[in-house]
Amino acid sequence: MNFVSDNIVGASAPVMEALARANAGTMPAYGADEITRRIKARFAEIFEREVSIILVTTGTASNALALSSAVPPWGLCVCHREAHVIDDECGAPEFYMHGAKLIGLPGEGAKLSADTVRAYLDGLPRAAKQMPPKALSIAQATECGTVYRPDEIAHLSAVCRDHGMALHMDGARFVNALVSLGCTPAEMTWKQGVDILSFGATKNGCLMAEAVVVFRPDLAEALEHRTKRAGQIISKGRFISAQLEGYFAGDHWLDNARHANRMAGLLAEGLTRLPGIRLAWPAEANEVFPILPQTAADALRAAGAAFMGWTEASLPEGEKVGPDEALIRLVVSYATPEEEVRRFLDAARAALSRQAAE
């Protein structure tokens, strides 16, 4: 019963089969191969317009390179205070932005509201000593498993336009948010004003395949050179492209995310039916954040369940974790079997029953 993350599982069968096919014979290096050309065309189909694509191996590289194209060294990037780019990437965005700064703002469920961002920006002094805001970065889905609706993205984009900023989307769990909303990739990105996207695939069935998808041509101008300097233009680049070819074939990527989201829904529904357990935030993608008795969390670990504790920083107003409670994160993946979810729920039920009998 391992619910630590969705990147603990291997690659899906279609992805591995595509890699095996790409391994046969010889192909041009450094992204000049036919598979990479096909994948770039496929991204244009998926997003319903011409886009610039950079293929990389990690989400950190994708985020750092994307932000480096939008924020100069003297600039400021605004994000949520719990965003992955500010909390979990060891300063990589600042490093590749050559000294630019990230500033984190509060927001329930790790989501930023347009009002919060606007109030912060309007309060900044306009002087040479102040780093000017150049980009806003939002995560879709967020660190708390919540999802921005298209209209919320559009409102944030309007704030960016009013302040001359680019809008970046960290899409490590892009497709989980996509199937949750039931919209198209275009409707969740550039049609709402997103300028540049970090498109994640590793968490949803690939081995190591991410992409920077650029909707605003001026942001793409130097990105290839930045990518080379970052060591992310891979000589055998066809193996990134091949993963994505297997990933997209037959809507496999969407099917993977639908399964993961469905498992999260089962987990969330089952937990909230148990006495003494409530959700910190709605389960809108493939993560579930229950608040439960500490004794139950301990019993679940003793029963073999693996999961992470989580921060209370973005809890809804009026919600708090009691001294005898724990807030935990449960992440399901495309490969999580339903039986594993039901075993976890049975273990939670048994732990609560033992507690009630004591």
Side-chain angles (χ1 to χ4, degrees):
M1 296 184 290
N2 195 328
F3 298 96
V4 171
S5 182
D6 42 6
N7 56 19
I8 61 171
V9 296
S12 66
V15 169
M16 292 300 290
E17 289 162 5
L19 276 169
R21 289 193 297 271
N23 196 49
T26 62
M27 294 186 192
Y30 298 105
D33 59 278
E34 181 58 35
I35 304 173
T36 299
R37 283 194 288 272
R38 290 198 300 264
I39 280 302
K40 290 184 176 182
R42 184 75 176 100
F43 270 103
E45 292 174 6
I46 287 169
F47 286 97
E48 305 173 42
R49 57 168 285 175
E50 289 300 314
V51 292
S52 295
I53 300 294
I54 296 291
L55 301 179
V56 296
T57 57
T58 72
T60 295
S62 178
N63 282 331
L65 288 166
L67 289 176
S68 76
S69 73
V71 185
W74 58 89
L76 186 67
C77 176
V78 179
C79 60
H80 190 274
R81 65 184 179 186
E82 291 189 81
H84 205 271
V85 293
I86 198 171
D87 256 4
D88 296 285
E89 294 184 330
C90 197
E94 292 97 332
F95 180 80
Y96 284 100
M97 293 187 297
H98 300 292
K101 186 177 179 180
L102 285 164
I103 184 74
L105 302 181
E108 182 181 311
K111 289 173 68 174
L112 291 173
S113 73
D115 288 344
T116 297
V117 176
R118 188 180 295 277
Y120 172 76
L121 295 173
D122 288 346
L124 288 175
R126 304 292 189 267
K129 63 182 181 180
Q130 169 63 49
M131 300 178 88
K134 292 297 183 180
L136 171 66
S137 179
I138 61 173
Q140 182 74 321
T142 73
E143 292 298 294
C144 295
T146 55
V147 169
Y148 286 96
R149 300 187 309 272
D151 64 304
E152 292 175 316
I153 299 169
H155 292 153
L156 287 165
S157 173
V159 175
C160 289
R161 299 295 171 266
D162 290 345
H163 291 83
M165 300 164 62
L167 179 57
H168 165 253
M169 178 180 283
D170 174 359
R173 296 185 174 95
F174 178 89
V175 66
N176 298 100
L178 185 73
V179 301
S180 175
L181 291 169
C183 62
T184 68
E187 289 166 345
M188 202 172 77
T189 54
W190 63 270
K191 288 188 176 181
Q192 310 307 329
V194 173
D195 297 300
I196 190 163
L197 164 70
S198 296
F199 179 92
T202 303
K203 294 180 185 295
N204 192 47
C206 288
L207 283 176
M208 50 187 76
E210 312 279 317
V212 181
V213 184
V214 190
F215 304 109
R216 215 176 85 187
D218 61 299
L219 296 181
E221 186 176 355
L223 195 52
E224 191 166 333
H225 299 290
R226 292 179 185 273
T227 305
K228 178 61 177 176
R229 283 166 57 90
Q232 283 289 326
I233 293 185
I234 311 300
S235 64
K236 297 183 181 181
R238 71 182 188 268
F239 292 111
I240 303 177
S241 304
Q243 291 176 69
L244 290 167
E245 192 157 63
Y247 184 63
F248 289 138
D251 285 343
H252 177 60
W253 63 308
L254 299 172
D255 290 339
N256 280 0
R258 290 186 186 110
H259 174 81
N261 286 14
R262 188 170 71 85
M263 292 302 100
L266 287 175
L267 196 54
E269 181 183 6
L271 287 170
T272 53
R273 288 182 176 180
L274 298 177
I277 297 181
R278 62 194 185 279
L279 298 187
W281 305 283
E284 296 179 337
N286 67 316
E287 298 173 280
V288 183
F289 293 83
I291 300 171
L292 70 169
Q294 182 65 59
T295 52
D298 294 340
L300 283 164
R301 285 195 170 98
F307 48 82
M308 293 178 62
W310 207 250
T311 170
E312 304 171 32
S314 296
L315 287 174
E317 186 177 354
E319 179 64 270
K320 64 180 181 179
V321 179
D324 298 322
E325 293 183 316
L327 168 57
I328 66 172
R329 184 185 79 161
L330 306 169
V331 189
V332 293
S333 76
Y334 80 93
T336 300
E338 185 171 332
E339 188 272 337
E340 188 171 351
V341 171
R342 300 205 181 278
R343 279 199 297 127
F344 182 88
L345 292 172
D346 288 342
R349 188 177 300 107
L352 292 166
S353 296
R354 285 194 298 271
Q355 178 181 318
E358 291 174 355

